[in-house]
Amino acid sequence: PKVFLVEPPDDDDDDDDDDDDDGVTYAVLGGLDVDIRTSHVYGTIAAGNDLSVETCNLGIGVSPEETDSLIAERDIHAHIGNLEHGNVVAGSSLNIQPTFTLQGGTLAPRIDSVIDWAALMDLITTTTTALGAVAPTGTVVEQADNLILSAHNGADVEVFLVTNAQLEAARDVTIDVDAGSAVVVNIEGGNLNPTQFGIRLHNIDSDKVLFNAFEASQVYIADVNFDGSLVAQGAEVDIEEIDVAGQLIAGGDISIQTTRVFGALFSGEIEDLLPFMAGLPMQEPEDVLLHNLILTPS
């Protein structure tokens, strides 16, 4: 099976051998409110409650334009900024100020639910908890202020276990694996507050690195070179003044300020570590946000 951190299903039954790169990338997904200020987001944003944006450039790289780019279960508030591509949809109301421009797509308030958020959050919780219980395959070494994560087993996915204290004390986090391997970094601890460290990747790109804060209740990250995706299924997440070369997913509120989120897809073979989990039935297939950490058949 394969782990996908936010990839829409392939709705067409064509058997052509395209690269499957034509799906929408979902960059930010919060189970409750999402608040984004003075930031750039490459990909779609979704909020389980309200979505507020101000002085932002959003929907960058989203294609095609018919795709829903800003999605909220309840209200959307947008003041100053730009949506480059895609539609704006809300379960309750839209408050789009004239200072927020829509380059393409439509504004579409909806009375019915856009997505089954309760089932979605339950799926994220179940899957990230299961990932957190997977035995580590790699070693973690503290060397001065450098935290070195290394594994050379030739596995499709290498799994590491670190504590929030180790991340917070590190100046640099180095991940070194065999070329072709993906990485899951499970993080133990109730609160996560790493600042001013860099992530150095050897033989691996950021779209194959997933940080799983499966125990966190609160995450605050600032002044960090963050290469990879972050999922915190039970946490409120506050991000300031960084680039996130991946996706942000949280069960609670998400606050993003002066940040760029690139929304790169995490994908990697997980073999037989976890049971297959089916996708969620959605009311509107075009609005499927998440086969989110869902294991789908190879």
Side-chain angles (χ1 to χ4, degrees):
K2 181 175 288 187
V3 169
F4 290 112
L5 181 58
V6 189
E7 181 184 75
D10 186 1
D11 290 328
D12 58 59
D13 295 324
D14 295 341
D15 290 329
D16 48 26
D17 294 326
D18 292 338
D19 291 334
D20 296 331
D21 290 331
D22 53 353
V24 176
T25 298
Y26 296 95
V28 178
L29 184 134
L32 297 176
D33 296 337
V34 175
D35 185 27
I36 304 177
R37 301 182 182 277
T38 321
S39 298
H40 303 274
V41 178
Y42 295 70
T44 291
I45 301 162
N49 285 342
D50 296 335
L51 171 59
S52 298
V53 298
E54 183 171 355
T55 319
C56 294
N57 189 18
L58 309 174
I60 307 167
V62 172
S63 179
E65 292 186 6
E66 297 80 31
T67 300
D68 296 339
S69 295
L70 300 183
I71 303 171
E73 178 68 12
R74 298 195 310 193
D75 302 333
I76 291 180
H77 308 272
H79 179 64
I80 304 178
N82 177 63
L83 180 69
E84 288 199 359
H85 295 99
N87 302 324
V88 180
V89 296
S92 295
S93 67
L94 293 169
N95 179 14
I96 310 297
Q97 297 298 311
T99 49
F100 188 87
T101 60
L102 183 69
Q103 299 293 340
T106 61
L107 302 177
R110 300 179 181 177
I111 297 175
D112 57 334
S113 178
V114 175
I115 192 171
D116 187 344
W117 284 92
L120 184 66
M121 291 298 110
D122 181 68
L123 180 61
I124 295 172
T125 298
T126 301
T127 310
T128 55
T129 300
L131 279 175
V134 174
T137 62
T139 61
V140 177
V141 176
E142 297 179 54
Q143 192 175 87
D145 55 2
N146 189 14
L147 193 63
I148 302 173
L149 284 59
S150 63
H152 297 282
N153 304 303
D156 291 321
V157 173
E158 300 288 7
V159 180
F160 299 94
L161 179 64
V162 301
T163 66
N164 54 5
Q166 286 176 310
L167 287 180
E168 291 168 2
R171 193 70 173 179
D172 286 302
V173 176
T174 300
I175 299 177
D176 184 10
V177 296
D178 291 332
S181 294
V183 166
V184 174
V185 181
N186 289 320
I187 305 170
E188 288 184 329
N191 292 321
L192 180 61
N193 184 23
T195 58
Q196 297 183 334
F197 76 77
I199 298 173
R200 303 178 185 273
L201 304 180
H202 291 174
N203 297 322
I204 186 172
D205 294 328
S206 58
D207 63 348
K208 288 189 174 293
V209 178
L210 171 64
F211 289 85
N212 177 27
F214 64 101
E215 292 185 337
S217 57
Q218 188 172 15
V219 175
Y220 174 74
I221 301 177
D223 301 320
V224 169
N225 170 28
F226 200 92
D227 286 331
S229 296
L230 171 68
V231 57
Q233 50 91 4
E236 296 181 359
V237 174
D238 191 354
I239 304 290
E240 292 186 15
E241 298 183 0
I242 68 173
D243 284 352
V244 179
Q247 297 163 310
L248 294 175
I249 296 172
D253 299 330
I254 295 179
S255 175
I256 300 173
Q257 298 186 49
T258 320
T259 289
R260 291 188 300 174
V261 182
F262 291 99
L265 176 70
F266 173 89
S267 62
E269 300 295 330
I270 209 79
E271 297 191 335
D272 298 323
L273 293 177
L274 296 173
F276 168 72
M277 299 178 68
L280 288 174
M282 300 295 178
Q283 294 183 8
E284 300 184 39
E286 69 273 18
D287 284 331
V288 173
L289 293 180
L290 207 70
H291 274 232
N292 186 338
L293 294 173
I294 296 176
L295 301 180
T296 59
S298 295

